[in-house]
Amino acid sequence: MNAPFDSKAVHPSAIVDDGAVLGPGTRVWHFAHVCGGARIGAGCSLGQNVFVGNDVVIGDRVKIQNNVSVYDAVTLEDEVFCGPSMVFTNVYNPRAGIVRKDQYRRTLVRRGASIGANATIVCGVTIGSYAFIGAGAVVKRDVPDFALMAGVPARQVGWISRFGERLPLPLAGNGEAVCPHTGESYLLVDGVCSIVSTHSCP
C-alpha cells in the first residue's frame, strides 16, 4: 500500500487501494474500502464498513458514518455529514443484465449539509449548503440551501441554520430569522434563504 497518507490512521482491517489520496488527519475505520481513484480531504472520518468509489471527491472535515457507500459520480464538499446506512445511487434505472456505467448521474452535496440515517439520495441531484435531510427521507429533486427535508418522497418542511437549529421562516415568500444558538441572521427573499450576518459556529 503506497498511498500518500498516514497509515496509522487506517485500521488494519481497512483497504485503501494504491492511488487513493487521503488528506492529513483523515481516519479510516474497520472494514472500510477506499478505491484508488478517490480523493479525500483533511480531517475526515470514514466509519466502519464504508465504501468510497474511484470517481469520488470528498472535501475536508467530512464525517461518513457506518455502512455508507459513496459510489462513483458523487462529490461531497467540506463538512458534509452522512448518517449511518444512508444511501447514494448513481444509476437512475439499473438492471443487472444491462451495463449503464456511461449513464451515471452526478450527485453533489454542498458544504455543511447533513444527511440523516437511512436516507436515500437518488442520483442526479444537488443538495444545497447546510441543508438537512431527515432520517429515512428519499430525495429525488434538488434541495435548496438551508432547507429542512423529510418524508418519502422528501418534501421541504422548514429551514435550518448552519448550527442545526430550526428557523422560524415560511416555506415560501419572504422573512427574517435569527439562529437561537449563534445569533446569526437569515433572510428569505422569494423563497431563497441566505445568511446576512455570520458568527463562528463552535
Side-chain angles (χ1 to χ4, degrees):
M1 188 166 61
N2 299 313
F5 57 86
D6 180 2
S7 62
K8 292 187 234 181
V10 176
H11 191 271
S13 67
I15 298 170
V16 178
D17 291 341
D18 287 343
V21 174
L22 278 64
T26 287
R27 302 189 68 82
V28 181
W29 295 99
H30 307 64
F31 311 115
H33 181 191
V34 179
C35 292
R39 298 294 178 265
I40 301 173
C44 297
S45 176
L46 278 60
Q48 180 173 305
N49 202 36
V50 164
F51 171 80
V52 180
N54 279 296
D55 182 16
V56 170
V57 177
I58 296 174
D60 296 336
R61 300 175 301 282
V62 172
K63 293 184 179 178
I64 303 176
Q65 302 291 78
N66 295 353
N67 306 313
V68 174
S69 292
V70 186
Y71 294 120
D72 286 351
V74 173
T75 296
L76 309 178
E77 292 187 346
D78 295 349
E79 297 176 348
V80 165
F81 176 87
C82 296
S85 301
M86 62 77 46
V87 176
F88 289 106
T89 69
N90 56 14
V91 175
Y92 192 77
N93 56 340
R95 294 289 197 194
I98 300 173
V99 177
R100 289 192 163 121
K101 290 187 176 180
D102 60 342
Q103 298 178 29
Y104 286 169
R105 297 187 183 186
R106 306 201 73 84
T107 296
L108 172 62
V109 184
R110 294 209 175 270
R111 181 186 180 107
S114 293
I115 303 172
N118 293 303
T120 297
I121 310 302
V122 177
C123 57
V125 302
T126 294
I127 296 175
S129 297
Y130 301 101
F132 196 103
I133 311 301
V138 177
V139 175
K140 299 171 64 179
R141 295 191 175 106
D142 289 351
V143 174
D145 295 349
F146 304 106
L148 175 61
M149 309 290 291
V152 180
R155 62 183 182 86
Q156 187 175 357
V157 296
W159 300 97
I160 198 159
S161 73
R162 287 199 309 161
F163 190 78
E165 297 281 357
R166 192 160 182 171
L167 297 169
L169 289 169
L171 289 180
N174 303 291
E176 296 181 49
V178 173
C179 174
H181 189 92
T182 65
E184 289 182 329
S185 298
Y186 293 79
L187 187 64
L188 185 69
V189 178
D190 296 330
V192 177
C193 187
S194 59
I195 300 178
V196 292
S197 71
T198 61
H199 304 283
S200 296
C201 287

